[in-house]
Amino acid sequence: MRFAVLGVQIDAVTLVEAVRIAEGFIAAGGPHLVATANAEMVMAAGQDAALKSVLDGADLVVPDGAGVVWAARHLGHHVPERVAGFDLTQALLARAAETGWRVYFFGAAPGIAARASEAAAARWPGLTVAGVRHGYFIPAEAAAIVDAIKASRPDILLAALGVPKQEKWLAAHAAELAVPLAMGVGGTFDVMAGVAGRAPLWMQRAGLEWLYRLSREPRRIGRMMALPRFVLKVLAAKKH
Ligand code: UDP
């Protein structure tokens, strides 16, 4: 079941359903793109036609973020739950350890992807790490990065380059990479590596994860001004 929030198509799936759909992607073979849509991403797509077209072409867009879930319900759609990109990543890693899927960790500052992959391998014994590579590179290095990822034959490619860079990069190289499941994961590696924290559970449940991130990284305020604008736009959209 797909619904639209300010023109961005989102799938009304639970975490468990998202993992099942991911299994289908991997069984079918690549490429497939999974995106995790929050209010910031929806607002960015409104001003960035390239990002919008990547999201339009994505195979699965999960409702990541309290704002998107609120908006969907406000607009009259049934959305069972929020599916945070971090949680979906952890669920896929757990499943990968059981099934033998190969996972490539691409992105974040030097050393972080490796630490995130080590933390994952320690938590889920049997996890096959296809490769790791940090996320700071010049355009001329892209071809070598694509070759290295391809050569490692991953079933899952996690890209932590931030929004919208990760979505655009994955879409631009999708055909060549042909990874069964590629997903942008934002700050997930930083949390897994222990250099960033997640909001306490009560804040996540209250839909206040954004406030926690803002308190940790006040420089996000500019980006986060998208949130009140998002709310106003959704309220206006319902009136029409
Ligand atoms: N990053 C990267 N390459 C870049 C820009 C960012 O690897 O050129 C990484 C950055 O180190 C961080 C992640 O991308 O680990 C972005 O995290 P953020 O929490 O900002 O994600 P978003 O909120 O955009 O999903």
Side-chain angles (χ1 to χ4, degrees), residues 3 7 14 32-33 37 43 63 74 87 92 133 140 159 183 189 201:
F3 60 86
T14 63
H32 294 93
L33 178 66
M43 290 302 279
H74 184 75
D87 296 333
L92 289 172
R133 149 86 217 196
M183 177 164 90
F189 295 168
L201 218 56

Side-chain angles (χ1 to χ4, degrees), residues 45-120:
Q47 294 173 344
D48 181 342
L51 174 61
K52 172 78 167 67
S53 91
V54 170
L55 295 177
D56 285 345
D59 299 280
L60 176 68
V61 183
V62 301
D64 177 0
V68 161
V69 172
W70 165 79
R73 289 180 181 160
H74 184 75
L75 296 168
H77 305 291
H78 175 71
V79 182
E81 66 184 4
R82 172 186 177 207
V83 181
F86 181 87
D87 296 333
L88 180 54
T89 303
Q90 307 311 298
L92 289 172
L93 289 168
R95 197 78 193 98
E98 290 166 6
T99 56
W101 297 334
R102 302 166 58 79
V103 184
Y104 197 103
F105 293 71
F106 170 44
I112 298 292
R115 276 165 66 184
S117 74
E118 284 156 18

Side-chain angles (χ1 to χ4, degrees), residues 21-238:
I21 292 167
E23 284 176 8
F25 291 164
I26 293 170
H32 294 93
L33 178 66
V34 177
T36 68
N38 61 14
E40 271 180 45
M41 195 192 273
V42 169
M43 290 302 279
Q47 294 173 344
D48 181 342
L51 174 61
K52 172 78 167 67
S53 91
V54 170
L55 295 177
D56 285 345
D59 299 280
L60 176 68
V61 183
V62 301
D64 177 0
V68 161
V69 172
W70 165 79
R73 289 180 181 160
H74 184 75
L75 296 168
H77 305 291
H78 175 71
V79 182
E81 66 184 4
R82 172 186 177 207
V83 181
F86 181 87
D87 296 333
L88 180 54
T89 303
Q90 307 311 298
L92 289 172
L93 289 168
R95 197 78 193 98
E98 290 166 6
T99 56
W101 297 334
R102 302 166 58 79
V103 184
Y104 197 103
F105 293 71
F106 170 44
I112 298 292
R115 276 165 66 184
S117 74
E118 284 156 18
R123 180 163 175 198
W124 295 288
L127 179 72
T128 306
V129 177
V132 299
R133 149 86 217 196
H134 70 76
Y136 291 84
F137 54 91
I138 55 170
E141 292 174 289
I145 293 172
V146 169
D147 286 346
I149 294 172
K150 261 170 67 177
S152 75
R153 296 177 294 105
D155 298 293
I156 298 178
L157 169 60
L158 303 173
L161 305 175
V163 177
K165 195 172 180 183
Q166 58 200 16
E167 285 75 20
K168 289 181 181 174
W169 199 91
L170 290 175
H173 300 289
E176 202 184 342
L177 285 167
V179 177
L181 193 165
M183 177 164 90
V185 296
T188 292
F189 295 168
D190 297 308
V191 176
M192 293 179 71
V195 296
R198 261 202 109 188
L201 218 56
W202 72 265
M203 279 185 107
Q204 291 183 40
R205 291 200 178 121
L208 292 175
E209 189 149 27
W210 60 273
L211 183 60
Y212 176 85
R213 297 195 80 176
L214 185 59
S215 72
R216 286 301 179 92
E217 294 173 77
R219 62 184 168 77
R220 293 180 88 94
I221 188 71
R223 291 176 52 177
M224 285 204 171
M225 288 314 288
L227 295 176
R229 288 206 303 273
F230 172 81
V231 171
L232 292 175
K233 270 195 124 169
V234 171
L235 292 174
K238 195 178 177 188

